[in-house]
Each structure stands twice: as structure tokens, then as C-alpha cells.
Amino acid sequence: MTSLPFYQIDAFATRTFEGNQACVMPLDDFLPDAQLQAIAAENNVSETAYIVPKGDGVWALRWFTPTVEVPLCGHATLASAHVLFSHMDFDGPEIGFDTVKSGRLTVKRATGGRYEMDFPAPAVRKMDITDDVAAALGAWPLEAWGGPFYACVFASADDIVQLQPDIDLIAKLGIMKDVNRGNLGCLAVQGDGMDVVSRFFAPASGIPEDPATGSWHCMVAAILGPRFKRPLDCFQAYPGRGGLMNVELIGDRVKIRGKAVTVIEGKFTL
């Protein structure tokens, strides 16, 4: 039998039971893809991150949901940095993560016990609101945007919290051009003491609703950054948990700041 180091982290959280769960597994080399996917399915949290050292403060990083490998995952990147800084004695000023589809990502310590991630800003554009999207959400949004995901803007935080979407219908929305509408986010400006309140539904990636999503907040920053031109305090209103993060659009990059908490440290046995 083989034992692999294993950490479970609550990311974008100030305490256990907040934010989004991620498993982080440091490896000497990546295992075969089928094995990485099987481990992620066994872990059964929204993402499992695998990190492999490359030297000089850089790690290769891949992310898997229980069903697919994804091109970008914010909360599991935050969790990976937390493991390196807090459990693996990394004392450099900044961690570099080399990824397959999102290039070099960096994470450094920030004020107030937070970490600051540097991600690429996605291209976004206004889109039509369609009957099938409104039916899936059970509500008609004020406006819609396309980018890595389909995004719907609502009038208030209460509208976001009270959404009762049909997850099966969201999953069936499928692909429209380059927009993966089977992964769909909803946001409202201001409410509950936050600049932005949102929720994110990802059945196309095997996650009915995600508790705290960094890649989604890259899109939030791209949509709202030109309007506000300042950092935005965001709350992802997953029922019973919720995640807190601060996002800022700077040129073609997004800064995402948040905290993380270690929940489990142990070994995964193959």
C-alpha cells in the first residue's frame, strides 16, 4: 500500500464549517489521470488539488472535481498555498503555481491573515436573457453576461438568497458558443454589508451548488471592476456555509484575497 499526504482545508473561511472544502495532496510526481480522478471522487469535495514541486518556489498544480479536471479553481489554489505556508514550511515571499490552462498563478501573504491570489481576468460580454435560463433559475434576472460561465445579475441580495433553482435544468442548458451555461452564477450588488452577494451552480462540473468559488469571482471582478474601480468585498451565499473574499480588477489580472482553515491532516492510502 502507498500512503500520500492529505489535507482538507476550508477556503475563503475564517473558521471550520465556512467557505468551501478542498483537499490538497502534495506529490513527488503526478499519478496517472485516472488515478487522480478516482482519488478526487473518493474525497468527494468540490475540488481536490494536486501539487508537484518544480523548484525555486514554484509548484505544478492541477484541480479535479469528483467528475472532471477543471481549468481553474480559486478556492483549491488558496487551500494549496495555505498548506505550503502553514504545513510545509514554505517561507518565501510568493508561491508560483504552474497550471495546464491558466498559466502561472501566484499567491502571497496579505494583511489580516489573508492570502492574495493573482489570476487572469476573463473576457466578458453582455448577453441576452433567455427563457430557458429564467426557467432554470425560477426568476428573471435584470441582465446576463457571458464569459467562462453564464452570469445573471439580480436586483438585491434577497433575490440571490431566495433563489430556488432547478439544478437539473441548469445542467441541461448546455453550451452556447464558448459559454458553459451548465455552470451558472448569479450576483447582486450590495446587501448584508457586502459589495456583492452571489451564488454559483456548477452541475456541469458535478457540483450542484459550490460554496465559495474563486474562478467565478474572477468573472464577478471582470463584470463589476470597471464600474467600481476599487476592491470589492464579496459574500458567496451558499446555504449554511458562505464564503468571504475580496476581489480587485487590475488591468487584465484579478486579485482575490481570503483566509483558509485546516480541518483535517492525515494520509490517503492507495
Side-chain angles (χ1 to χ4, degrees), residues 12 114-116 231 244-248 255-258:
F12 298 121
R114 299 181 299 178
Y115 303 103
E116 180 181 275
L244 294 165
M245 63 198 78
N246 177 274
V247 304
E248 184 177 7
K255 306 291 186 182
I256 306 179
R257 305 174 185 98

Side-chain angles (χ1 to χ4, degrees), residues 173-190:
L173 288 173
I175 305 295
M176 183 172 65
K177 296 182 180 178
D178 59 331
V179 178
N180 186 342
R181 293 170 64 200
N183 291 341
L184 185 153
C186 300
L187 68 94
V189 175
Q190 299 180 337

